[in-house]
Amino acid sequence: MPQLEASVIVPLSPDEAFALAHTVGEGRSWDPGVVRSQYIRGASAPAPGAHFFTKTPSGRRMILELRVVHAPLMSSAEMVKGPAWLASFGEGWRFEAVDGGTKATWKYTYKLASPVFASTLGAATKPVFERELQERAEAFASRAEQLAAV
């Protein structure tokens, strides 16, 4: 099961970085990996059991459930519904106070649905997810810098 991660140092406190990472809707406009996101099924904030919908620019749609939330230190979410080619998908955040701000680490873990095509599809999927994750982390850092400058 591939695990990918990207880390950035941002000039925000862990509380502020956690809040930014968990924005949805229009507040998520900083994220190039999301064209639409919203809490669903009665959820309105990051909490264990909260569900949220996300749609990527490539059209991938997923419903994720927050499984663990320890604000402002970490959170993790697991796909409960998504594309047929993914057997599982999870993402998590870790926030660590460092000199001058917070180290934010974003992690993806996923498993492809078809073992028959896993090596071929996996070879194609991993660099796409790596690039997506890195672009999203860089955009997070850029937005954090904008917020810190205000």
Side-chain angles (χ1 to χ4, degrees), residues 68-84:
V68 178
V69 178
H70 293 295
L73 302 175
M74 61 91 60
S75 69
S76 66
E78 185 175 333
M79 179 181 78
V80 293
K81 185 175 182 181

Side-chain angles (χ1 to χ4, degrees), residues 18 22 39 43-52 65-69 75-76:
F18 185 92
H22 293 85
Y39 285 110
S44 59
H51 286 88
F52 61 99
E65 178 182 346
L66 284 163
R67 298 293 171 103
V68 178
V69 178
S75 69
S76 66

Side-chain angles (χ1 to χ4, degrees), residues 13-29:
S13 70
D15 285 313
E16 294 166 323
F18 185 92
L20 177 60
H22 293 85
T23 56
V24 297
E26 290 185 22
R28 192 76 180 194
S29 61

Side-chain angles (χ1 to χ4, degrees), residues 8-12 20 138-150:
V8 292
I9 305 291
V10 297
L12 299 175
L20 177 60
E138 290 169 6
F140 177 80
S142 178
R143 181 63 180 141
E145 290 169 13
Q146 292 170 353
L147 290 172
V150 174

Side-chain angles (χ1 to χ4, degrees), residues 5-114:
E5 69 177 51
S7 295
V8 292
I9 305 291
V10 297
L12 299 175
S13 70
D15 285 313
E16 294 166 323
F18 185 92
L20 177 60
H22 293 85
T23 56
V24 297
E26 290 185 22
R28 192 76 180 194
S29 61
W30 59 265
D31 188 345
V34 171
V35 294
R36 185 171 161 224
S37 68
Q38 66 188 66
Y39 285 110
I40 59 172
R41 300 177 178 163
S44 59
H51 286 88
F52 61 99
F53 168 83
T54 186
K55 179 181 175 187
T56 69
S58 67
R60 187 175 72 239
R61 293 171 174 83
M62 289 190 284
I63 295 175
L64 295 139
E65 178 182 346
L66 284 163
R67 298 293 171 103
V68 178
V69 178
H70 293 295
L73 302 175
M74 61 91 60
S75 69
S76 66
E78 185 175 333
M79 179 181 78
V80 293
K81 185 175 182 181
W85 54 272
L86 279 174
S88 66
F89 179 88
E91 63 180 42
W93 283 95
R94 284 190 322 269
F95 303 92
E96 177 186 351
V98 296
D99 285 342
T102 298
K103 179 180 180 183
T105 301
W106 199 348
K107 184 176 183 177
Y108 283 1
T109 304
Y110 64 95
K111 182 177 180 184
L112 300 172
S114 173

